[in-house]
Amino acid sequence: MNQEDPGFESDHNHQHCIAQALETAHTLCRTRHQRLTPVRELVLKLVWQNHQPLGAYELLPALADAGFNSAPPTVYRALEFLQEQGFVHRIASLNAYVGCPHPERPHRSGFLICRNCKRAVELNTHDVHSALKDSAATLGFEIEQEMVEVVGLCPDCRTSGADHAQ
Amino acid sequence: MNQEDPGFESDHNHQHCIAQALETAHTLCRTRHQRLTPVRELVLKLVWQNHQPLGAYELLPALADAGFNSAPPTVYRALEFLQEQGFVHRIASLNAYVGCPHPERPHRSGFLICRNCKRAVELNTHDVHSALKDSAATLGFEIEQEMVEVVGLCPDCRTSGADHAQ
DNA sequence: GATCATTATGTTATACTATAACAATCACTT
DNA sequence: AAGTGATTGTTATAGTATAACATAATGATC
Ligand SMILES: [Zn+2]
Ligand SMILES: [Zn+2]
Ligand SMILES: [Zn+2]
Ligand SMILES: [Zn+2]
């Protein structure tokens, strides 16, 4: 969303993304008097392993490997907490979860999702929100949450000729 | 989306909405050489029974009553056809389906969804799309589909004091 | 430190949503 | 009438998410 965010640039140092996300989460939890417990931290780390949204059930094996209970409620509870804190977003059209690069302030999330490589990049939705607010105001509707999920082809997949029909 | 669409006005003649939707569907199917079979027509009618999105499994009892097979594939196939023809939209955040008032031309759908009365109103997403296109262009992303789902309070539910926290 | 209330996790079961696979039937063309 | 493709019936299963209750860990209070 900011200039320094990697977007769809595939050659960034992703270990840095992960380390940064974990550190931010720790800091925010401390100031918010919330607990980033081991299982929550692990789920956050797993969600951040790459920029592709992960389904809840894809996380369970790794939880089992780490010695945690790996029944669905465990991962869903962790994901619920992480969402409440703004550390991850749920992508409804994929039933999947992805790390948020800017959890320090709550925001309306929007995503560009590549149908080929499956990466999802969070979008600055300022202008989209303005447009939505106007439309909603016309109808007298009071916005509380927005979900914007755009599917298409990322720059890498366009140039690599992956633009065959889905 | 157009001026004459009811939006959140609850006192419109909804039988007219239904009749209109069915007639439009019949006409479009004829020109498109598609078949609006009895089960498809029934599902379309059921989805249009009100302006609240309906889950697939909520349609099954009515299918059984009408003498159709009421196993899930029946309704999912009908919904798939109706979506392909643009007669209904799926709302991903609700796992639910709602009739489209303007199936005559394909369009990117957006919805305002009231968290209190559960009604969903389709939105003109022209300005939203413009904003999205700009953001996407900056990142080199090629848009193919857009999903915009906004949750909040409709005018009726705001004035009737239903604006307690969810 | 012991007590207590609160929060978090473990565990089992189940609800909800959607599709796979194959058989039977229907509709249209030849 | 026969053949072909589309549609529907049927059974089974995959995939996603939560309910309910037991147990354990945490943090505040005495
Ligand atoms: Zn990264
Ligand atoms: Zn891609
Ligand atoms: Zn209506
Ligand atoms: Zn309402």
Side-chain angles (χ1 to χ4, degrees):
Chain A
M1 304 169 74
N2 287 345
Q3 207 58 37
E4 66 270 19
D5 284 335
F8 281 105
E9 292 154 43
S10 47
D11 58 348
H12 70 283
N13 177 0
H14 190 53
Q15 293 311 310
H16 179 257
C17 294
I18 301 174
Q20 175 83 41
L22 290 177
E23 191 193 318
T24 305
H26 273 290
T27 304
L28 288 174
C29 278
R30 206 171 307 123
T31 65
R32 292 172 184 172
H33 303 293
Q34 297 291 325
R35 295 171 51 206
L36 191 63
T37 59
V39 66
R40 289 169 175 174
E41 181 175 10
L42 175 57
V43 170
L44 179 57
K45 188 174 159 193
L46 291 171
V47 167
W48 266 102
Q49 287 297 3
N50 47 47
H51 285 281
Q52 290 151 286
L54 278 180
Y57 279 72
E58 298 181 85
L59 302 169
L60 290 178
L63 289 193
D65 290 349
F68 293 101
N69 176 18
S70 69
T74 299
V75 68
Y76 279 105
R77 284 165 181 157
L79 287 170
E80 183 184 23
F81 171 84
L82 297 172
Q83 283 182 267
E84 285 167 0
Q85 297 302 316
F87 301 157
V88 306
H89 297 292
R90 179 172 187 269
I91 299 190
S93 62
L94 300 176
N95 296 326
Y97 303 82
V98 67
C100 173
H102 292 292
E104 58 276 2
R105 46 182 163 61
H107 53 271
R108 303 163 190 279
S109 71
F111 290 95
L112 299 181
I113 304 160
C114 178
R115 66 160 160 83
N116 186 250
C117 68
K118 311 298 182 192
R119 282 182 295 168
V121 163
E122 202 164 343
L123 199 62
N124 185 330
T125 54
H126 181 270
D127 292 344
V128 174
H129 176 63
S130 296
L132 274 177
K133 220 170 36 179
D134 290 347
S135 296
T138 305
L139 292 168
F141 187 92
E142 181 184 325
I143 294 179
E144 291 174 352
Q145 307 168 42
E146 294 172 16
M147 270 158 296
V148 175
E149 300 174 13
V150 177
V151 176
L153 277 179
C154 78
D156 288 358
C157 292
R158 285 173 69 187
T159 56
S160 68
D163 59 340
H164 46 66
Q166 58 177 339
Chain B
M1 303 170 76
N2 286 345
Q3 206 59 37
E4 65 270 18
D5 284 336
F8 281 105
E9 292 154 43
S10 47
D11 57 348
H12 70 282
N13 177 3
H14 189 53
Q15 293 311 310
H16 179 259
C17 294
I18 301 173
Q20 174 83 41
L22 290 177
E23 191 192 318
T24 304
H26 272 290
T27 304
L28 288 175
C29 279
R30 206 170 308 123
T31 64
R32 293 172 183 172
H33 303 292
Q34 296 291 325
R35 295 172 52 206
L36 192 62
T37 60
V39 66
R40 290 168 174 174
E41 181 174 11
L42 175 56
V43 170
L44 179 57
K45 188 174 158 190
L46 291 170
V47 167
W48 266 103
Q49 287 297 3
N50 47 47
H51 286 281
Q52 291 152 285
L54 278 180
Y57 279 72
E58 297 180 84
L59 302 169
L60 290 178
L63 289 194
D65 289 349
F68 293 101
N69 176 18
S70 69
T74 299
V75 69
Y76 279 104
R77 285 166 182 157
L79 287 170
E80 184 184 23
F81 171 84
L82 296 171
Q83 284 182 267
E84 285 168 358
Q85 297 302 316
F87 301 157
V88 307
H89 296 292
R90 179 172 188 269
I91 299 190
S93 62
L94 300 175
N95 296 325
Y97 304 82
V98 67
C100 172
H102 291 293
E104 58 276 1
R105 46 180 163 65
H107 54 270
R108 304 162 190 278
S109 72
F111 290 96
L112 299 181
I113 304 160
C114 178
R115 66 160 160 83
N116 187 251
C117 68
K118 312 296 182 192
R119 281 182 295 167
V121 163
E122 201 166 344
L123 199 63
N124 184 330
T125 53
H126 181 270
D127 292 345
V128 173
H129 176 63
S130 297
L132 275 178
K133 221 170 36 178
D134 291 347
S135 296
T138 304
L139 293 169
F141 187 91
E142 182 184 323
I143 294 179
E144 291 174 353
Q145 307 169 41
E146 294 172 18
M147 211 204 58
V148 175
E149 300 175 12
V150 177
V151 176
L153 277 178
C154 78
D156 288 357
C157 292
R158 285 173 69 186
T159 56
S160 68
D163 59 340
H164 46 65
Q166 56 179 341

